Amino acid sequence: MNNLAQTQKDTKQTDLNQLQEQMIALYQEAGIDERNAILGHLNWFLSFASPEAKNFWLDCQQKLKAIDTDSPALFPLGKIYLTIGAREAFEEGNQMPVEFLAKHQSGDWGLVCEDDRKENEFSLANSFRLLSAYKTANGTKLWVITEADRSSTTILVPSEY
């Protein structure tokens, strides 16, 4: 990569970081209705964003939602991926992925059986793969899976596994 291209890439990343910091500052000052509106607009934007932009905005959305979460994050999510089925389920249920990611990351494993719950606790302590199961408002089952190395988390419907 030549110097000009690297400089442009660095400048873009700096601008994105500043934008994210400004959004977080605005969000912290906003009331509950304004926060819901901000998250709603982000969710709408995500449905049109390019894959590169989607990762940035999902990260931003996750950081904003974390401000509202009383439960501490127990592990990093890494890059976040949504399958087509999961995205459709969120749209149909008029919900946002961050709601399920926050539960997953705080150790609320959702609808998993007791054996899977114990496995998740063991996996959390030993850096193995984590699995949560939830249902959207319209009853669609979702799985949230974080890889053992915590490099990525995927939200999918079971039929896409």
Side-chain angles (χ1 to χ4, degrees):
M1 181 177 294
N2 65 35
N3 288 339
L4 178 60
Q6 184 61 47
T7 301
Q8 289 173 334
K9 184 178 177 183
D10 292 345
T11 300
K12 180 181 177 183
Q13 188 60 50
T14 299
D15 290 345
L16 288 173
N17 290 342
Q18 288 175 347
L19 175 62
Q20 195 171 76
E21 288 171 15
Q22 290 170 350
M23 287 188 68
I24 289 170
L26 287 171
Y27 190 81
Q28 288 173 324
E29 295 174 11
I32 188 69
D33 290 336
E34 293 166 320
R35 286 182 178 197
N36 287 336
I38 290 168
L39 291 173
H41 288 300
L42 268 175
N43 191 47
W44 174 83
F45 180 75
L46 283 167
S47 65
F48 299 101
S50 68
E52 179 183 328
K54 190 171 285 192
N55 283 336
F56 170 79
W57 289 110
L58 279 170
D59 180 57
C60 185
Q61 187 181 52
Q62 179 184 349
K63 287 177 182 176
L64 295 179
K65 192 64 176 177
I67 292 169
D68 295 332
T69 304
D70 292 333
S71 302
L74 299 176
F75 54 91
L77 296 172
K79 289 187 178 184
I80 298 167
Y81 299 97
L82 297 176
T83 63
I84 292 170
R87 193 181 96 198
E88 289 171 354
F90 288 125
E91 289 172 0
E92 291 169 7
N94 197 27
Q95 291 176 281
M96 295 181 284
V98 70
E99 162 184 350
F100 299 92
L101 291 168
K103 289 179 183 183
H104 177 70
Q105 196 174 28
S106 69
D108 173 353
W109 311 120
L111 304 171
V112 298
C113 67
E114 187 57 31
D115 286 341
D116 287 342
R117 189 173 307 284
K118 288 177 183 176
E119 182 65 28
N120 273 346
E121 296 302 325
F122 178 81
S123 296
L124 183 61
N126 294 285
S127 297
F128 296 133
R129 193 178 212 201
L130 300 164
L131 166 71
S132 294
Y134 309 101
K135 283 192 177 180
T136 63
N138 66 346
T140 303
K141 190 168 187 177
L142 294 172
W143 285 350
V144 181
I145 301 172
T146 299
E147 297 304 325
D149 64 1
R150 310 299 185 246
S151 64
S152 66
T153 297
T154 304
I155 303 177
L156 65 154
V157 294
S159 63
E160 293 174 311
Y161 188 73

